[in-house]
Amino acid sequence: RALTTAARSSLKIGLIPADGIGKEVIPAARAAIEALGSDIPKPEFYNLDAGFECFASTGTALPEETVEALQDSHCALFGAVSSPITKVTGYSSPIVALRKKLDLYANVRPVVSVAENAQEKPRVDLVVVRENTECLYVKQETITSTESGKEARATRLITERASRRIGRLAFELALGRPRQLVTIIHKSNVLSVTDGLFRETIRAVPRFAENGRYDNIQIEEQIVDSAVYRLFREPQIYDVMVAPNLYGDIISDAAAALVGSLGLVPSINAGDNFVMGEPVHGSAPDIAGRGIANPLASIRSAALMLRHLGYLNGADRLDKAVDGVIREGQVLTPDLGGSSKTQEVLDAVLKKI
Ligand code: GGG
C-alpha cells in the first residue's frame, strides 16, 4: 500500500515536534533524513506548531496554518503531545484531531527485536495495526448529575467502513510478511455489538477481496485481555495484530516492553493520501529538556514514513544504522541502560548512515 512515488524534485516534510521530548527527537530524525543525500528527493522541512504548550501560549492546540501546511506537504513527522489528564476548557488533543482531519485511519506500529540482542528471548517480530479514527476516541463524553451522584458516559463508535479499511490494510501488510497471519483483537464476548461488528467485518475482508487475494492469509482472533497475557508469555505467536483504537494503543505500548524500551518503537499514521511518522512514546515530561531522550523511535518512524512513500533505500539505510547502534550497545540512552545523550546517539547513527 505504498503511496505512489511520483517523480518529485523535492520531498516536503512537515515537522511537528509538539511537546516535551518531541522537541528533542524530531530534530534528530530530521538530521538522519538529511544524511540520506540522493537516496530521497531533496527534503524541504516545514516547522509547524501544535500541542499543549502551543495551546497554552496561543489558545489553540492545532493551529489552522499547521493543518494547511500539512495538506500542502508530502508527509510529516509528529513528536509527542502531553494532554492534561483533567479537562481543560477549549483544549482538545491535536494528534487525535490530526489523524481525523487528514483521515490517517491506520496507526501501524511494528515491534521488533533487534537480532543478536541476547536479553530478549524469544524474538519479537509483530506489527500492531490500530484503527485510528473511531472507538472511544470520537471523544463524545457527557456528564450529568443524578440523585445518586454524577454519571459520565462516552460513546464508542465502530463502523463497518472503518473496520473494513483497517482490516484490508492489515491483510495487505500480512501479504508482505513471511508468516502471513492476522490476529483480530476484540472483546466481543462482552461488547458483542461494537467489537462484534469489528470482528465480523475484518473476518469478512478476504471474502470480498478480488481474485482470492487474501486466501492464503491465516486469520486468528483473541479476546484483548487474553491477548495481552499471551503477548507477555509467548509474543512469537503474533504477526499482524489488528485492533480497535484503544486496545491498539495499549497493546503496542505493552509490546514495547518486550523489546527493551518504548524509546525504540516507531509508528506511522497512514491514510490513502498522506503519511505521518510518529514515535509511539509520549512527551516524557520527567526527562524533557535534559538531552537524554532516545531518538531511535523517531528515526525509525522516519524510516517507516519513507518506506511507505516507496523510498526503500533511504528507509533501509536508516533502519540498518539504528539496528547497528543498538547491536553494538556502546552508545545508548538511559532508557536502554546506557548513559549517552540524545546527540551522541544521533551522531552514532549518522556515522553509520
Ligand atoms: N507520540 C505519541 C504520543 O504523543 N503519545 C501520547 C499521546 O498519545 N497522547 C495523546 C494526547 O496527549 O492527546
Side-chain angles (χ1 to χ4, degrees):
R1 297 266 300 200
L3 298 180
T4 172
T5 37
R8 296 184 174 112
S9 55
S10 69
L11 189 62
K12 295 183 184 175
I13 307 177
L15 297 178
I16 315 147
D19 296 326
I21 62 168
K23 293 184 181 9
E24 298 163 56
V25 295
I26 293 301
R30 172 188 174 145
I33 292 173
E34 280 173 327
L36 291 175
S38 61
D39 270 333
I40 56 170
K42 186 173 167 32
E44 280 174 23
F45 295 100
Y46 300 89
N47 290 312
L48 305 171
D49 230 353
F52 189 72
E53 292 167 34
C54 172
F55 171 78
S57 59
T58 69
T60 174
L62 183 59
E64 201 44 49
E65 306 87 76
T66 294
V67 179
E68 282 167 13
L70 290 176
Q71 284 162 340
D72 194 38
S73 304
H74 298 117
C75 55
L77 287 174
F78 187 94
V81 52
S82 12
S83 296
I85 54 171
T86 51
K87 186 167 173 55
V88 173
T89 305
Y91 176 81
S92 188
S93 166
I95 184 64
V96 174
L98 262 183
R99 290 168 181 158
K100 280 190 201 142
K101 274 183 194 284
L102 302 174
D103 201 22
L104 304 176
Y105 60 84
N107 194 204
V108 179
R109 300 179 157 193
V111 182
V112 183
S113 316
V114 174
E116 283 106 42
N117 185 341
Q119 288 165 353
E120 289 162 24
K121 285 179 192 156
R123 181 170 150 72
V124 180
D125 183 1
L126 58 88
V127 50
V128 179
V129 178
R130 165 187 174 192
E131 202 290 319
N132 229 1
T133 60
E134 32 184 63
C135 189
L136 286 165
Y137 287 70
V138 293
K139 297 206 305 182
Q140 288 168 16
E141 295 184 292
T142 55
I143 189 155
T144 48
S145 291
T146 70
E147 277 173 9
S148 52
K150 289 180 185 163
E151 221 172 79
R153 287 169 199 273
T155 298
R156 181 165 189 258
L157 177 72
I158 301 286
T159 66
E160 198 172 1
R161 173 177 174 266
S163 305
R164 188 177 297 125
R165 65 182 182 175
I166 198 70
R168 280 202 199 113
L169 194 136
F171 280 96
E172 279 299 315
L173 267 176
L175 273 183
R177 295 172 61 87
R179 295 187 42 216
Q180 307 217 327
L181 164 67
V182 170
T183 307
I184 308 167
I185 308 299
H186 61 78
K187 185 82 185 174
S188 62
N189 51 339
V190 177
L191 301 170
S192 57
V193 177
T194 46
D195 275 355
L197 179 61
F198 185 80
R199 170 185 173 273
E200 279 161 28
T201 306
I202 293 182
R203 275 203 164 270
V205 165
R207 251 182 280 143
F208 297 105
E210 278 175 23
N211 305 321
R213 185 166 173 80
Y214 305 132
D215 282 359
N216 292 328
I217 308 269
Q218 190 189 338
I219 308 175
E220 288 182 358
E221 56 182 270
Q222 281 270 305
I223 306 288
V224 62
D225 42 346
S226 120
V228 172
Y229 179 77
R230 296 192 73 185
L231 186 64
F232 283 103
R233 300 281 297 203
E234 39 183 353
Q236 74 281 4
I237 67 169
Y238 293 113
D239 184 21
V240 176
M241 303 174 85
V242 59
N245 209 336
L246 183 62
Y247 306 155
D249 193 6
I250 296 168
I251 286 170
S252 46
D253 274 33
L258 300 167
V259 294
S261 169
L262 202 47
L264 292 177
V265 181
S267 84
I268 48 168
N269 299 280
D272 291 332
N273 301 306
F274 197 74
V275 58
M276 183 166 75
E278 181 192 2
V280 169
H281 64 70
S283 61
D286 53 331
I287 58 161
R290 292 172 52 196
I292 56 167
N294 190 341
L296 298 180
S298 281
I299 298 171
R300 280 178 160 173
S301 299
L304 270 185
M305 176 188 82
L306 293 176
R307 191 174 301 285
H308 193 79
L309 289 167
Y311 301 115
L312 307 186
N313 284 345
D316 284 346
R317 284 177 68 201
L318 293 185
D319 279 337
K320 280 188 186 140
V322 168
D323 287 356
V325 168
I326 298 170
R327 258 190 217 117
E328 285 173 12
Q330 300 299 312
V331 189
L332 300 174
T333 41
D335 56 305
L336 289 171
S339 56
S340 302
K341 298 272 192 184
T342 309
Q343 185 63 47
E344 291 167 328
V345 174
L346 172 62
D347 289 343
V349 172
L350 293 178
K351 219 160 134 191
K352 290 197 183 295
I353 294 173

